Amino acid sequence: MFLGKVIGSVWATQKESGMENLKLMVVQPVDWNGRDNGQTVIAADRIGAGIGEQVIVSRGTPARILFGSNSVPIDAAIVGIVDSFEVPGATEGEG
């Protein structure tokens, strides 16, 4: 899992089977100080994250399992919206 910030949305009218009615968000991985930390990913979102929110993202098989099938072509899923966090030395602790 990683901490990220939602920076955009993706719309696709044609999707693979199992992805119908699935909201897709662009997420920028960030470090504990809120600085960019890696390449952006497109993550499935079933919990209603919005642009600008900090989120927790799961990747790989754990992300697919959330959809009840290993055949769903999902590589990343938003699994939490961050309210706050505490890390000694971090400068940004709220989502």
Side-chain angles (χ1 to χ4, degrees):
M1 287 190 287
F2 66 86
L3 182 66
K5 182 175 182 178
V6 178
I7 60 170
S9 301
V10 175
W11 288 271
T13 55
Q14 300 293 320
K15 299 179 190 175
E16 286 291 328
S17 179
M19 294 183 66
E20 302 86 6
N21 302 314
L22 189 57
K23 182 177 163 188
L24 301 173
M25 305 302 282
V26 181
V27 178
Q28 172 63 58
V30 296
D31 67 14
W32 296 114
N33 290 308
R35 296 181 298 238
D36 292 357
N37 189 27
Q39 291 187 327
T40 57
V41 298
I42 297 173
D45 176 28
R46 297 190 312 175
I47 61 174
I51 293 174
E53 290 189 293
Q54 284 188 329
V55 293
I56 301 167
V57 177
S58 180
R59 297 192 77 173
T61 300
R64 278 189 296 280
I65 290 172
L66 293 173
F67 295 89
S69 170
N70 278 334
S71 64
V72 176
I74 300 297
D75 179 58
I78 295 172
V79 297
I81 298 172
V82 176
D83 295 315
S84 66
F85 63 85
E86 183 177 331
V87 176
T91 59
E92 193 171 306
E94 295 185 10

